Amino acid sequence: MEVITVGNNKGGVGKTMQCYQLICHLANKGNKVLAIDLDSQANLSSTLGVQIQRTLIPEWLIGDVPFQDLVISSEGEGDFHGNIDIIASSRHLANLSKLLILSESEIRKNAGRKERLLKKRIQEVGDSYDFVVIDTPPILGDELIMSLVASNKILIPTQAQDYSIDGLEELMDTFEIIKETENPKLEFAIIPSMVNGRRNIEKQRMSELAQSFHCTPGIRNLVQMQESISLKKPVFMLGKNNQGKQDYDALWEALNL
Ligand SMILES: Nc1ncnc2c1ncn2[C@@H]1O[C@H](COP(=O)(O)OP(=O)(O)OP(=O)(O)O)[C@@H](O)[C@H]1O
Ligand SMILES: [Mg+2]
């Protein structure tokens, strides 16, 4: 089982888009996929056809509620949805950090540290899934840290704007600490997101970024990508050789996914 987090503490860079396309791609190849939505905005949940009143993710993490009580099948057009289960989010998840503080002594007893909670719960699920894919909120908080401890790999969608690339340093520092302390096998991939290749300033920023980090092939800024989310159809369903599909096919090939 491979666990993949999509994360960036910068907001609106295309994390949920990447998660959605990845989950559908993996499921369409015949893999059993568990999607975990750790963002209280619940965008991934709704794109996968699931809306819930109140998520039980905090109770699951703390150990008060079993996995079976949370997991739901995704819904939408296309047989591949049969391969996708989701642990859905709701606004209530915004209280996660507070709830974890209130349950501190319970957590210490059953996981040692709160950072390890998600890893422990995913391990309990065993090998029922080929992939677990986690969407995270745009902050360097408990959700992202727990996900990094639990994952084999973090995919980091990154836009060419200055502030987006500067924010990356903070994330990479956290990545290094977690790799050194909790998860030595953790890998990362930087994925240029919403690329507008006609803007020279973007090209320049991206080539500077590529000097510090290895970057994968990028995903262009395309109207089609927004259509994919509003129609709740992954890019591979939007016509045979559309540009969005071309970009994602190249990305999945580069990442061996
Ligand atoms: N390649 C793309 N081309 C055009 N629009 C895109 C592309 N990727 C994402 N978008 C759009 O940009 C917006 C932000 O994308 P998305 O929600 O995936 O970002 P996010 O990083 O998950 O945001 P947040 O930090 O709020 O969770 C959405 O409206 C999405 O449809
Ligand atoms: Mg998002």
Side-chain angles (χ1 to χ4, degrees):
M1 182 170 69
E2 194 168 343
V3 184
I4 300 172
T5 287
V6 181
N8 190 330
N9 44 325
K10 170 82 182 66
V13 293
K15 294 181 288 295
T16 303
M17 174 70 79
Q18 200 105 109
C19 256
Y20 175 67
Q21 303 297 342
L22 176 61
I23 290 162
C24 296
H25 162 76
L26 291 171
N28 196 44
K29 279 176 72 180
N31 296 292
K32 280 288 282 173
V33 185
L34 174 65
I36 304 182
D37 189 352
L38 287 188
D39 188 352
S40 62
Q41 298 177 97
N43 295 334
L44 179 67
S45 307
S46 60
T47 312
L48 287 171
V50 174
Q51 260 171 316
I52 56 170
Q53 283 291 318
R54 187 187 180 286
T55 181
L56 291 172
I57 290 176
E59 289 79 0
W60 174 56
L61 289 172
I62 291 164
D64 289 345
V65 166
F67 175 74
Q68 290 75 11
D69 287 6
L70 275 89
V71 73
I72 322 175
S73 299
S74 80
E75 272 180 42
E77 240 178 87
D79 292 344
F80 63 87
H81 278 280
N83 285 336
I84 304 172
D85 282 348
I86 176 160
I87 292 188
S89 184
S90 71
R91 280 211 315 261
H92 172 73
L93 193 62
N95 297 323
L96 179 67
S97 293
K98 271 186 249 159
L99 293 167
L100 292 179
I101 290 171
L102 291 174
S103 307
E104 210 181 319
S105 63
E106 213 177 327
I107 292 167
R108 212 174 304 133
K109 260 185 267 153
N110 71 53
R113 314 171 61 149
K114 66 176 178 182
E115 292 84 357
R116 295 180 189 152
L117 283 175
L118 181 63
K119 180 178 184 170
K120 192 171 155 77
R121 297 298 162 236
I122 290 175
Q123 280 171 346
E124 285 167 4
V125 176
D127 275 332
S128 324
Y129 297 95
D130 300 302
F131 288 90
V132 178
V133 180
I134 309 168
D135 193 16
T136 54
I139 32 163
L140 244 174
D142 287 330
E143 298 85 347
L144 183 52
I145 289 173
M146 264 187 223
S147 303
L148 289 176
V149 173
S151 297
N152 307 96
K153 189 178 263 179
I154 174 169
L155 306 184
I156 309 174
T158 304
Q159 278 190 279
Q161 282 104 338
D162 288 358
Y163 44 86
S164 180
I165 292 181
D166 294 343
L168 201 55
E169 280 176 28
E170 207 188 343
L171 176 59
M172 291 315 296
D173 286 347
T174 308
F175 170 87
E176 289 300 339
I177 293 169
I178 290 176
K179 197 173 158 77
E180 277 166 29
T181 55
E182 294 281 335
N183 190 1
K185 290 192 179 143
L186 184 63
E187 292 173 15
F188 74 93
I190 294 191
I191 302 165
S193 186
M194 293 189 237
V195 177
N196 185 343
R198 267 178 282 173
R199 293 184 56 197
N200 283 332
I201 180 80
E202 262 198 31
K203 275 194 204 156
Q204 198 184 329
R205 290 295 287 164
M206 274 301 166
S207 67
E208 281 165 25
L209 181 69
Q211 283 165 14
S212 314
F213 301 107
H214 172 72
C215 295
T216 66
I219 305 296
R220 282 171 285 186
N221 191 330
L222 302 165
V223 180
Q224 201 167 61
M225 302 301 298
Q226 286 160 23
E227 280 169 13
S228 165
I229 298 297
S230 56
L231 296 170
K232 299 186 179 170
K233 284 182 181 178
V235 276
F236 62 76
M237 286 179 81
L238 298 181
K240 228 175 170 202
N241 225 356
N242 67 75
Q243 291 183 312
K245 180 177 182 305
Q246 286 171 17
D247 287 1
Y248 273 109
D249 283 349
L251 177 61
W252 306 143
E253 196 183 325
L255 293 171
N256 277 323
L257 288 168

